């Protein structure tokens, strides 16, 4: 019985953080603008403010297949990994892009003591309603 209890405890310790990473932590996402592009029928531009508290993060995710994204750090520093690229830390004023089909593996505040914010600008199909899709 003791071996079973120790085994279950060990399994919980190993799988606990993995399960927890599937949920946002200390993160808030707000659409701050949404405008149809008059010269590009069927496409819209949406601005999304992502606010991370200290240690905040979002789970691994993708975006709609039509989405092209330009993201700028407007406060603090952000840890990001796109596809199988290196994990990078972006500081205030730095930016990156995501093209359709990219997998955003890491999206997190690089600090455990200071907040961080990103403004992400999407160009995507106007009919898209979900802008963040869980990674498969």
């Amino acid at each position: 019985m003791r071996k079973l209890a120790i085994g279950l405890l060990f399994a919980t310790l190993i799988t606990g953080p993995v399960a927890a990473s599937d949920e946002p932590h200390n993160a808030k996402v707000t659409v701050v603008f949404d405008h149809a592009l008059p010269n590009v029928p069927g496409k819209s531009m949406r601005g999304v403010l992502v606010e991370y508290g200290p240690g905040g993060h979002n789970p691994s995710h993708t975006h709609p297949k039509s989405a092209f994204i330009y993201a700028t750090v407007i406060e603090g520093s952000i840890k990001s990994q796109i596809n199988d690229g290196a994990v990078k830390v972006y500081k205030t004023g730095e930016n990156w892009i995501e093209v359709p089909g990219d997998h955003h593996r890491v999206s997190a505040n690089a600090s455990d003591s200071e907040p961080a914010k990103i403004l992400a600008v999407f160009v995507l199909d106007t009919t898209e309603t979900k802008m963040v899709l869980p990674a498969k």
Side-chain angles (χ1 to χ4, degrees), residues 21-128:
S21 69
D22 290 342
E23 295 294 324
H25 170 72
N26 205 4
K28 178 181 175 188
V29 177
T30 307
V31 175
V32 293
F33 68 86
D34 185 356
H35 297 282
L37 296 175
N39 60 339
V40 187
K43 297 288 183 180
S44 288
M45 180 182 291
R46 293 189 191 136
V48 176
L49 179 64
V50 181
E51 300 173 274
Y52 291 114
H57 61 83
N58 276 313
S60 176
H61 61 274
T62 62
H63 298 284
K65 292 182 188 215
S66 68
F68 180 88
I69 303 153
Y70 170 82
T72 300
V73 179
I74 58 175
E75 180 182 335
S77 56
I78 298 293
K79 188 175 0 176
S80 182
Q81 180 187 21
I82 307 299
N83 299 320
D84 293 325
V87 176
K88 295 182 183 178
V89 175
Y90 296 90
K91 298 179 189 276
T92 301
E94 295 181 324
N95 57 73
W96 69 89
I97 64 165
E98 294 177 51
V99 298
D102 276 351
H103 180 176
H104 201 163
R105 294 183 183 277
V106 175
S107 182
N109 186 341
S111 173
D112 288 329
S113 60
E114 300 293 326
K117 294 180 186 176
I118 305 166
L119 178 62
V121 178
F122 288 64
V123 174
L124 73 170
D125 290 347
T126 301
T127 57
E128 291 292 353

